[in-house]
Amino acid sequence: MKHRKKKKKSSLTQTGGLEKYTWQIAQRFCQKKIPVTLLTTGNSHSPFESDYLNIVSFPIDYRLSVLNLLQFNRCCVQYIKTHPTPIIFGLDRNQFQTHIRAGNGVHAAYLNYRAQEEGVYKKLSFFFNPLHQMTLQLEKKAFEHPELQILFTNSHLVKQEVLSYYNLAPEKIQVVHNGVEWTALEPYFHSWHQKKQAILQNLKLPSSCYHFLFIGNNYRRKGLSKLLQALSLIGNQSFHLSVIGKEYYLADFEQQVSALNLESKVTFFGSRNDTYQFYQYADSLVIPSFYDPFANVTVEALAMGLFVVSSARNGGSEILSPTTGTVIESLEDISSFAEALHTALTHPKTEKSALAIRESVKSFDFSHQLDHMIESILINN
């Protein structure tokens, strides 16, 4: 049987994590000589060449995000109606796919978490926000569609959320944790011990303390404020926190650092393209997310030999063990958060420990995860 795979992404470039994932899945199918039609918007250029790849780009560029979402869904529905195919694989929210990878998690659960953190007025605003309402409608139609064959989630956390919010048979859900470029990170890993002091000197960071690392955009939702509060409870320890990522309200967090007397222990580096060098000198990555289906930095940090401190709301926490990380069960209990940081302090990065932590995620090599998912799709088609 001839298979035509349709990948759907409302805006496809080659820089973001989801975009990179999309291209790699498309390439895998093409390598198996399975025709792929990729539905997207904007100017999309494939990073690989294949006679089996066809890109269909819809000219959609509204100022309002909800209109882009609505029109992209309509274009996909119309195209699929006129070009029937046995496999329709979606990575973005559309009303119908035979196979879905819910990499962004469950929007209904995300809104619930936000409401818990930001209060009743924010919760009420969701009902009047057309983008949220349209996303919820598409999510429900897609997840509960009778022709859906497999819903891939990147964590058991997301699987349970799907079952909690939507009417879907559990056997249709397969958990495939996020992969990591395990082999590509190898040279950076093997040189970390040799380069650590030079990197610290270049970044003007202390050379003989424990180094925590935080990576994430939008610091509030990623839990940085809670992390700073927890660090203030262990202020007598020798540590330093490096903060990487974009934040519009950076001044607010700088003020919090000052109010907690952590000025000498926290450095903001903003957005960086060289995160590998931060992994090289850091001892531990802290992921205090309020909601993350599976934070990619979880497995990246482990592949670089770092001990990971994660909130229970990060699906990536499922792959941790007592020797590779620890879980913050409640972000509201700052004392328990501080205890998790104390645990991390007893796990400084050494050549032996780093190697053991890295080996723990060898099976999460990106190619393995991709192949597992693709074989699951093809086995019944």
Side-chain angles (χ1 to χ4, degrees):
M1 180 183 294
K2 181 179 179 182
H3 299 278
R4 181 167 293 276
K5 176 178 175 294
K6 301 207 172 29
K7 300 180 64 58
K8 300 182 291 202
K9 182 70 185 76
S10 56
S11 180
L12 196 59
T13 65
Q14 298 175 28
T15 56
L18 182 58
E19 290 77 13
K20 180 180 178 181
Y21 202 94
T22 298
W23 287 120
Q24 290 184 314
I25 294 177
Q27 186 173 25
R28 269 298 200 285
F29 275 95
C30 289
Q31 289 170 347
K32 292 179 178 290
K33 298 183 179 181
I34 297 172
V36 173
T37 296
L38 192 149
L39 306 185
T40 182
T41 64
N43 298 318
S44 301
H45 303 284
S46 173
F48 67 92
E49 294 184 4
S50 175
D51 293 335
Y52 293 90
L53 177 64
N54 173 41
I55 300 176
V56 176
S57 182
F58 304 122
I60 301 171
D61 188 20
Y62 294 104
R63 287 189 176 185
L64 294 177
S65 297
V66 65
L67 294 181
N68 287 314
L69 183 63
L70 180 62
Q71 186 60 24
F72 182 61
N73 178 65
R74 287 174 176 170
C75 288
C76 288
V77 169
Q78 183 60 35
Y79 187 92
I80 292 168
K81 185 181 297 184
T82 56
H83 300 77
T85 177
I87 299 176
I88 304 168
F89 189 161
L91 285 92
D92 204 3
R93 289 183 173 90
N94 293 95
Q95 69 183 57
F96 168 60
Q97 298 106 132
T98 59
H99 300 76
I100 302 173
R101 180 180 183 270
N104 291 323
V106 177
H107 196 67
Y110 163 72
L111 293 181
N112 184 49
Y113 285 130
R114 280 195 63 185
Q116 291 177 29
E117 298 300 328
E118 299 180 44
V120 64
Y121 292 111
K122 176 60 69 173
K123 184 175 182 178
L124 286 173
S125 74
F126 296 152
F127 291 101
F128 300 101
N129 185 313
L131 179 59
H132 287 315
Q133 292 306 309
M134 177 57 62
T135 301
L136 290 172
Q137 288 178 36
L138 292 177
E139 184 171 85
K140 180 178 177 62
K141 287 180 179 179
F143 289 178
E144 296 186 349
H145 199 287
E147 294 183 50
L148 174 66
Q149 296 179 33
I150 302 176
L151 174 64
F152 295 101
T153 67
N154 51 12
S155 64
H156 292 281
L157 169 70
V158 175
K159 177 179 179 177
Q160 291 306 313
E161 289 169 348
V162 172
L163 296 175
S164 295
Y165 286 92
Y166 298 109
N167 183 22
L168 179 66
E171 57 269 22
K172 284 190 175 184
I173 304 176
Q174 289 190 27
V175 178
V176 181
H177 290 118
N178 286 5
V180 63
E181 299 285 3
W182 197 84
T183 302
L185 288 174
E186 190 169 12
Y188 299 111
F189 172 77
H190 285 300
S191 62
W192 78 264
H193 193 262
Q194 174 188 354
K195 294 185 176 181
K196 177 177 179 177
Q197 291 305 319
I199 295 172
L200 290 172
Q201 184 176 2
N202 182 56
L203 295 174
K204 297 180 172 55
L205 295 174
S207 61
S208 59
C209 71
Y210 189 96
H211 283 275
F212 288 110
L213 178 62
F214 171 97
I215 301 177
N217 299 324
N218 193 330
Y219 297 166
R220 180 174 180 178
R221 293 184 194 170
K222 291 294 183 177
L224 180 59
S225 180
K226 299 290 185 181
L227 170 55
L228 294 175
Q229 293 176 49
L231 287 175
S232 71
L233 298 183
I234 62 169
N236 60 331
Q237 301 289 322
S238 178
F239 69 82
H240 188 276
L241 170 68
S242 296
V243 179
I244 312 296
K246 296 179 183 178
E247 173 53 54
Y248 184 77
Y249 299 103
L250 177 60
D252 292 345
F253 291 91
E254 291 176 331
Q255 290 177 9
Q256 184 182 11
V257 167
S258 177
L260 295 172
N261 296 316
L262 293 173
E263 296 99 326
S264 63
K265 293 178 176 288
V266 179
T267 302
F268 293 93
F269 286 96
S271 182
R272 303 284 297 223
N273 294 321
D274 56 349
T275 52
Y276 66 89
Q277 72 168 338
F278 292 88
Y279 285 134
Q280 286 181 304
Y281 73 75
D283 294 282
S284 173
L285 178 74
V286 187
I287 314 171
S289 307
F290 289 117
Y291 180 61
D292 250 320
F294 188 115
N296 284 324
V297 291
T298 311
V299 69
E300 287 177 0
L302 294 171
M304 286 296 292
L306 278 67
F307 190 83
V308 172
V309 178
S310 172
S311 72
R313 290 182 180 177
N314 166 30
S317 66
E318 297 168 7
I319 69 173
L320 300 179
S321 70
T323 57
T324 64
T326 188
V327 178
I328 311 159
E329 294 301 335
S330 172
L331 291 173
E332 303 309 314
D333 184 358
I334 299 302
S335 62
S336 69
F337 195 156
E339 187 59 36
L341 297 179
H342 271 296
T343 299
L345 287 169
T346 66
H347 291 78
K349 185 164 64 174
T350 64
E351 291 184 88
K352 181 179 179 180
S353 69
L355 182 60
I357 291 174
R358 173 173 165 77
E359 287 294 318
S360 74
V361 291
K362 186 175 183 178
S363 63
F364 288 86
D365 184 84
F366 195 75
S367 61
H368 296 163
Q369 305 300 78
L370 275 182
D371 288 340
H372 175 77
M373 190 161 53
I374 290 172
E375 290 306 316
S376 294
I377 293 171
L378 296 180
I379 195 168
N380 294 318
N381 288 276

